Amino acid sequence: MIKIDALPAFSDNYIWLLQDSGQQRCAVVDPGDAAPVLAWLNAHPGWQLSDILVTHHHHDHVGGIAQLKAATGARVLGPARETIPERDSALKDGDCVEVLGHTLNVIEVPGHTLGHIAYYQAEQHWLFCGDTLFAAGCGRLFEGSPAQMHASLQRLAALPERTLVYCTHEYTLSNLRFAQAVEPDNAQIAERLQQVAAWRQAGQISLPSTLALERATNPFLRCAEPAVIETLNCREGAENRSSAQVFTRLRAWKDNF
Ligand code: ZN
Ligand code: FE
């Protein structure tokens, strides 16, 4: 039985910490800063950090790797197509890796960066998706095209609806404000906005999400919904847009929202 906690880092990052209490072993995802992980290890004597999983090369995801590896000897797993410090295992689409006794499937999800990968655990329904799929949003396009990001999100959205979405940033509240601008009449978005606002006011995390909730409230997974198409027709003129084109316009709008 693995317990997953979020270690906050910087202003809005989470370093996911997977804990196997039977073996007193743990793994982390995207340690942009070593300090929160080292503090946890210091507070839990006898525990060993076995693996460091990395989704992409941005500093807020890789900044703590070298220090953590030097301190613990942990194995570093990361995308083959990107430069990842201290990487031991270079992962491509379709690869499987064993972490804390569980098999993780590697899914390449280009868009935010070109080599970005996600990790999926089919029995436990974990999805560690970095800066690709966010709760009620998606990552900015730094390297990839809108069409690439749209295809990547479609792949993630096709996973089972009970999938737990462990993304890296606490952006949910601002994402939901945008979602509400896109779909003012969507009751689930309104309800989620209220709930997340209350959680954030109380200092609580809004993650993990589920794919069921994302499909219902994340505009970037709803590019084929009539209400989303209608909003764009009103804003930008009626046009026969493909889902990928709807995604492109939504992402550009969100960039300036
Ligand atoms: Zn990033
Ligand atoms: Fe990030």
Side-chain angles (χ1 to χ4, degrees):
M1 183 68 187
I2 305 283
K3 180 172 180 254
I4 303 180
D5 287 322
L7 303 177
F10 310 116
S11 57
D12 51 36
N13 282 61
Y14 294 121
I15 300 167
W16 294 107
L17 173 74
L18 290 71
Q19 303 144 71
D20 175 356
S21 53
Q23 308 277 334
Q24 296 213 314
R25 286 187 308 164
C26 59
V28 288
V29 183
D30 285 348
D33 186 3
V37 182
L38 292 173
W40 189 92
L41 290 168
N42 278 332
H44 296 79
W47 280 72
Q48 191 207 342
L49 181 69
S50 62
D51 294 285
I52 298 171
L53 306 175
V54 184
T55 63
H56 68 291
H57 68 86
H58 284 163
H59 185 74
D60 65 308
H61 300 248
V62 304
I65 294 174
Q67 204 185 337
L68 286 176
K69 188 176 177 180
T72 65
R75 173 178 66 152
V76 179
L77 306 134
R81 293 177 195 276
E82 297 192 348
T83 304
I84 305 294
E86 310 285 339
R87 187 186 56 207
D88 297 301
S89 188
L91 303 174
K92 309 183 306 297
D93 194 69
D95 283 350
C96 294
V97 288
E98 191 85 0
V99 173
L100 302 178
H102 291 273
T103 301
L104 305 184
N105 301 309
V106 175
I107 308 173
E108 286 184 5
V109 282
H112 179 69
T113 64
L114 280 174
H116 198 303
I117 59 172
Y119 299 87
Y120 175 61
Q121 211 297 324
E123 290 82 36
Q124 306 294 320
H125 316 290
W126 308 323
L127 176 66
F128 299 102
C129 49
D131 290 357
T132 297
L133 175 63
F134 286 134
C138 74
R140 281 179 186 263
L141 303 176
F142 285 108
E143 297 175 12
S145 66
Q148 278 177 316
M149 184 60 134
H150 181 247
S152 294
L153 291 173
Q154 298 272 94
R155 265 189 95 180
L156 298 183
L159 294 170
E161 61 173 24
R162 65 201 293 193
T163 301
L164 298 164
V165 178
Y166 293 92
C167 54
T168 303
H169 290 274
E170 181 61 68
Y171 292 157
T172 318
L173 193 53
S174 56
N175 285 342
L176 283 166
R177 294 200 177 102
F178 176 72
Q180 195 160 56
V182 176
E183 290 188 80
D185 299 326
N186 182 319
Q188 279 177 279
I189 290 174
E191 189 188 322
R192 191 179 184 190
L193 181 56
Q194 274 195 343
Q195 175 164 65
V196 171
W199 283 342
R200 296 304 297 146
Q201 199 128 36
Q204 289 170 28
I205 186 170
S206 67
L207 304 172
S209 173
T210 64
L211 266 186
L213 189 54
E214 293 311 313
R215 286 194 200 127
T217 61
N218 187 326
F220 297 101
L221 301 188
R222 297 174 57 76
C223 296
E225 287 296 317
V228 174
I229 293 166
E230 182 53 28
T231 294
L232 277 186
N233 284 343
C234 289
R235 256 180 75 84
E236 308 196 2
E239 235 179 81
N240 204 351
R241 295 180 182 85
S242 66
S243 288
Q245 286 167 329
V246 169
F247 174 82
T248 304
R249 299 314 307 150
L250 285 180
R251 189 55 261 182
W253 177 12
K254 176 69 163 64
D255 286 342
N256 297 299
F257 184 74

